[in-house]
Structure formats: structure tokens, C-alpha cells
């Protein structure tokens, strides 16, 4: 029983670590919702470093695979990622403005397509699709009309919400996993206790 108990304790600690990480993400998301400007700047810098590191890794991978047919394609893609990462890191505010404009256009086009599709098709989800289209169109217009000032809070708000919901998901997984591990451990303990008297009776009968 030492092996299963040890594995159960490891799983319990692992799920506790997930729950703790989820709590940290939730706290970071709530702080980001309060300080959306800082969250926007942080998300842009992280995005730039991800592009830069990804470009460097891609460049190393392309160098290792030199002589193949996709060597130059890998070099070009890696160079573009590195260049984009450097631009984002050096100009996070300009990048935030450009991405906010892009997000507003996505909201607008997505809302228009959903509105037109819901009116034309009129399927069973007509009301829900119509509501989604209207919400996307309204959100896109609000972001676009307040641009470039909206770039100070839109991306930070989305980034913080992503952290918040990811954290809540990890907390749910951690708590649920701990409960399952505890239930399995209790059942195994009950089964072990139930088999002890039988083994003892068997030993007594064999001795007699």
C-alpha cells in the first residue's frame, strides 16, 4: 500500500500546485482589470519577447536542418519573428494601437457576418446569433470610435480576462482533482481494512 499512497500524495500535491497557480492567475487578472494600462503594456512586452524567443528557436532549428528544402523558408520565418519581436519590444504603445485597430475591425466584420447570417438563415439559434452579432458590432464600434485611446485598455482588459478565466479553470481542476484523489484513497483504505480480518482468519486456520 506504500506505493499507491505515495502516488496519491504526489497527485494531491500536483493538484494543490495547480490550484495555487490558478489563484495567482486570478489575482493577476483582477489586478490587470484594475490597472488596464499596465496590463496592456505588459501583454505587449510579453508578446514581443515570445516572438523574439520563438524566432531565435526557429533560427536555430533552421540552422540545424540546413541542406533541406525548407531551410530558407525557416530562416525567413525566423527572421520575421525576430524583427517583429524587436519592433514590439521597442514600440509597445504603437503595437498596441495597431492590434487594437485590428481587433476592432475583427469585431465589426464578425458582428456584420453574424447579423446578416442570422437574418438570412433564421435557424434554431436565430436569437442567440443575432445577439452575438449585435454585441460584436457594438463592441467594434465602441473600440473604433475611441481609438487610439482605446488601445490603452482594450488589450489589457482582454489579457486580464484571459488570466482570470484560466485561473478559475485551474482552481476548478485542482480542487476537483484533490477531491477525486481523496475519494480514491479512502476507498482503497476501506478495502484494505476490509481484507485484513480475512487474511488474519486465513492465517489462523492455516496455523490450526
Amino acid at each position: 500500500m506504500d506505493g499507491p499512497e505515495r502516488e496519491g500524495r504526489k497527485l494531491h500535491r500536483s493538484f494543490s500546485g495547480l490550484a495555487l497557480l490558478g489563484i495567482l492567475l486570478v489575482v493577476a487578472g483582477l489586478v490587470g482589470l484594475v490597472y488596464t494600462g499596465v496590463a496592456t503594456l505588459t501583454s505587449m512586452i510579453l508578446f514581443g519577447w515570445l516572438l523574439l524567443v520563438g524566432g531565435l528557436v526557429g533560427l536555430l532549428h533552421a540552422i540545424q536542418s540546413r541542406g533541406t528544402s525548407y531551410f530558407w523558408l525557416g530562416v525567413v520565418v525566423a527572421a520575421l519573428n525576430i524583427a517583429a519581436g524587436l519592433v514590439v519590444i521597442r514600440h509597445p504603445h504603437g503595437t498596441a494601437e495597431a492590434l487594437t485597430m485590428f481587433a476592432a475591425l475583427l469585431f465589426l466584420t464578425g458582428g456584420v457576418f453574424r447579423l446578416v447570417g442570422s437574418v438570412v438563415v433564421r435557424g434554431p439559434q436565430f436569437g442567440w446569433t443575432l445577439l452575438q452579432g449585435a454585441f460584436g458590432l457594438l463592441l467594434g464600434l465602441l473600440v473604433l470610435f475611441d481609438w487610439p485611446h482605446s488601445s490603452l485598455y482594450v488589450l489589457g482588459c482582454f489579457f486580464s480576462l484571459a488570466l482570470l478565466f484560466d485561473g478559475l479553470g485551474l482552481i476548478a481542476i485542482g480542487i476537483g482533482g484533490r477531491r477525486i484523489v481523496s475519494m480514491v484513497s479512502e476507498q482503497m483504505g476501506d478495502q484494505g481494512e476490509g481484507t485484513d480480518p480475512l487474511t488474519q482468519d486465513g492465517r489462523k486456520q492455516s496455523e490450526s
Side-chain angles (χ1 to χ4, degrees):
M1 294 297 293
D2 291 338
E5 289 180 358
R6 189 180 301 110
E7 293 297 326
R9 288 194 294 268
K10 289 182 179 179
L11 288 175
H12 197 275
R13 287 194 296 269
S14 299
F15 284 116
S16 299
L18 284 179
L20 179 61
L21 179 60
I23 292 173
L24 293 177
L25 290 179
V26 168
V27 172
L30 292 175
V31 172
L33 289 175
V34 176
Y35 302 100
T36 53
V38 177
T40 299
L41 186 62
T42 303
S43 63
M44 288 297 97
I45 294 175
L46 288 176
F47 180 57
W49 278 106
L50 285 176
L51 288 175
L52 183 59
V53 173
L56 292 175
V57 173
L59 183 60
L60 292 176
H61 180 71
I63 293 174
Q64 291 177 355
S65 61
R66 59 183 178 275
T68 59
S69 57
Y70 55 86
F71 167 70
W72 287 109
L73 178 62
V75 171
V76 171
V77 172
L80 290 176
N81 285 332
I82 292 173
L86 292 174
V87 170
V88 173
I89 292 172
R90 293 186 62 183
H91 306 284
H93 295 288
T95 305
E97 292 179 2
L99 290 179
T100 303
M101 173 65 74
F102 182 69
L105 294 177
L106 283 181
F107 289 139
L108 285 174
T109 54
V112 170
F113 275 110
R114 284 191 176 92
L115 284 175
V116 174
S118 62
V119 172
V120 173
V121 177
R122 290 185 177 273
Q125 302 294 329
F126 168 74
W128 178 247
T129 306
L130 187 67
L131 181 62
Q132 283 183 324
F135 179 75
L137 183 62
L138 179 61
L139 183 59
L141 290 175
L142 289 175
V143 174
L144 190 61
F145 288 158
D146 198 28
W147 189 87
H149 182 264
S150 59
S151 62
L152 298 176
Y153 58 86
V154 170
L155 297 179
C157 183
F158 290 160
F159 179 68
S160 301
L161 287 175
L163 290 178
L164 180 61
F165 287 115
D166 287 344
L168 291 175
L170 288 178
I171 292 174
I173 293 173
I175 294 176
R178 288 179 58 181
R179 289 179 179 176
I180 293 174
V181 171
S182 299
M183 291 173 60
V184 172
S185 299
E186 290 177 359
Q187 290 179 358
M188 292 180 63
D190 293 339
Q191 291 177 359
E193 293 176 358
T195 54
D196 287 341
L198 294 178
T199 54
Q200 291 177 359
D201 292 340
R203 289 176 182 176
K204 290 180 180 180
Q205 291 177 2
S206 61
E207 291 176 356
S208 62

